[in-house]
Amino acid sequence: MIIGSGCAGLTAALYTARANLAPLVLSGLMPGGLLTTTSTVENYPGFPEGVDGYELMARMQKQAERFGARVQFATVEAVDLAHQPFALTVDGERVETKALIIASGAGHRRLGLESERRLEKQGVTYCATCDGALPMFRNQPLVVVGGGDSACEEALYLTRFGSVVHLIHRRDLLRASRIMAGRVLSNPKIRPVWDSVVTEVLDVNQGKVTGVRLRNVKTGAETVVDCAGVFVAIGHTPNTDLFKGVLAMDEQGYLLPLRGAQTSVTGVFVAGDCADHVYRQAITAAGMGCAAAIEVERYLASLNA
Ligand SMILES: Cc1cc2nc3c(=O)[nH]c(=O)nc-3n(C[C@H](O)[C@H](O)[C@H](O)COP(=O)(O)OP(=O)(O)OC[C@H]3O[C@@H](n4cnc5c(N)ncnc54)[C@H](O)[C@@H]3O)c2cc1C
């Protein structure tokens, strides 16, 4: 069984199906995963003109189904990994599996503003690597929200495309590592805006990002910063609550693969963003799905040896 139907889960399904292992993919509430929420994916190899995120995932599913994978719209509510076969509670029903691949992904944290929600894909984004090179952001002023390593990395990356990058942070000191903070603060294209929070993304009426309204948390003063893009980099939350106390994870909840894709429980493997707080890309998630599938194949063969 495979939990999750994003790039990691569906690639694992393709490989395990081609190995005649009859995988069942439990899709969760977001069939196709995070990539279905974006329009054009320009950095997935094999699509020189780019590909619509939804279409890419529909194709991945079709490819896995061609070799016998089944994809079920179902959510895993609980797991019992103490004994073989493993038991999962799926939409209230108990199901058993000899091997499990967890590919449940990670969600990005949002600012929680209505204007942010309304302007998502119209200039509000959560991934500079994914979207920074889009024409709408080229030679334009950009905003990054956050103060940790990710926010600093996003800001540095965006200096290649934007005319200027405003880094909005609610404190007066970056949380990022010293080396990263040093790089950011010495970059002439990055302008830190300290002690400030975004209260509104402008302009919902125009249907595109034209700026952000800020409030200084110390003085209460309001200002507007003009920009064509808002990159929110305030962290991610892996979808791993089900495995707390069951599988080894780091303090943020990312599952820790021990050897390759193997987790701390033999027979349980992991792939994609739920175990990766560094790369978080479709191609890396797919690669991890492939690795987990090959390891499952070897594990099941060893059970029957
Ligand atoms: C707006 C946006 C644009 C992006 N653009 C790009 C891009 O251009 N290029 C790129 O390489 N990457 C891009 N990414 C990143 C990319 O989408 C992710 O790296 C990739 O989707 C990770 O794949 P995954 O399979 O690990 O997880 P996800 O795609 O997050 O899939 C997780 C799956 O797990 C399921 N699930 C979760 N919990 C349960 C449960 N309890 N039971 C059953 N199922 C469950 C979900 O329903 C979902 O199907 C973008 C991300 C976003 C948000």
Side-chain angles (χ1 to χ4, degrees):
M1 277 190 197
I2 298 168
I3 303 179
S5 56
C7 306
L10 289 177
T11 305
L14 170 64
Y15 274 74
T16 47
R18 291 191 76 245
N20 280 338
L21 296 177
L24 174 63
V25 180
L26 305 163
S27 78
L29 294 176
M30 192 183 272
L34 270 186
L35 221 51
T36 60
T37 65
T38 192
S39 44
T40 311
V41 179
E42 292 187 324
N43 54 9
Y44 199 86
F47 298 91
E49 313 302 331
V51 57
D52 177 81
Y54 184 87
E55 189 194 332
L56 177 62
M57 297 318 299
R59 282 168 173 249
M60 275 194 207
Q61 178 169 337
K62 211 168 158 191
Q63 192 176 358
E65 284 173 339
R66 183 178 149 217
F67 296 101
R70 290 162 300 145
V71 180
Q72 189 178 325
F73 182 69
T75 298
V76 179
E77 294 154 343
V79 291
D80 178 358
L81 306 180
H83 313 281
Q84 269 284 8
F86 305 126
L88 309 184
T89 308
V90 180
D91 290 340
E93 286 193 21
R94 180 188 160 93
V95 290
E96 293 184 344
T97 183
K98 278 191 193 165
L100 179 66
I101 295 177
I102 302 165
S104 53
H108 45 252
R109 291 204 196 112
R110 292 164 197 273
L111 299 170
L113 303 169
E114 176 61 13
S115 53
E116 171 195 19
R117 190 187 64 76
R118 305 242 327 244
L119 291 171
E120 193 169 332
K121 295 190 205 168
Q122 320 296 334
V124 173
T125 151
Y126 301 85
C127 176
T129 316
C130 314
D131 298 330
L134 293 177
M136 67 197 283
F137 299 130
R138 297 218 171 212
N139 301 315
Q140 299 293 325
L142 304 173
V143 153
V144 171
V145 188
D149 275 324
S150 300
C152 288
E153 265 179 39
E154 305 263 289
L156 284 167
Y157 182 74
L158 289 170
T159 57
R160 299 179 200 182
F161 310 108
S163 55
V164 56
V165 179
H166 302 277
L167 181 63
I168 316 290
H169 186 37
R170 60 185 166 166
R171 305 212 182 98
D172 59 3
L173 198 66
L174 293 173
R175 267 187 302 109
S177 58
R178 270 175 70 176
I179 186 159
M180 184 63 84
R183 271 185 216 147
V184 162
L185 297 176
S186 62
N187 190 308
K189 275 181 112 177
I190 299 180
R191 293 191 196 149
V193 183
W194 304 116
D195 298 319
S196 297
V197 290
V198 177
T199 53
E200 187 184 358
V201 184
L202 305 168
D203 180 0
V204 168
N205 288 336
Q206 291 188 54
K208 64 174 186 179
V209 170
T210 61
V212 284
R213 193 183 304 284
L214 304 179
R215 180 170 50 80
N216 185 298
V217 291
K218 286 187 176 155
T219 64
E222 282 209 342
T223 47
V224 169
V225 171
D226 293 336
C227 65
V230 178
F231 292 77
V232 181
I234 55 174
H236 288 75
T237 311
N239 304 319
T240 55
D241 280 359
L242 285 176
F243 310 104
K244 279 202 175 125
V246 179
L247 296 175
M249 51 178 75
D250 69 13
E251 68 283 353
Q252 292 175 69
Y254 286 93
L255 294 170
L256 289 174
L258 299 182
R259 294 173 308 282
Q262 172 72 57
T263 66
S264 51
V265 172
T266 306
V268 179
F269 302 84
V270 71
D273 285 9
C274 62
D276 171 19
H277 57 87
V278 181
Y279 304 111
R280 288 195 294 252
Q281 292 295 291
I283 185 68
T284 47
M288 290 169 83
C290 159
I294 291 174
E295 292 201 27
V296 160
E297 203 182 327
R298 291 180 183 161
Y299 167 72
L300 290 175
S302 75
L303 287 186
N304 297 329

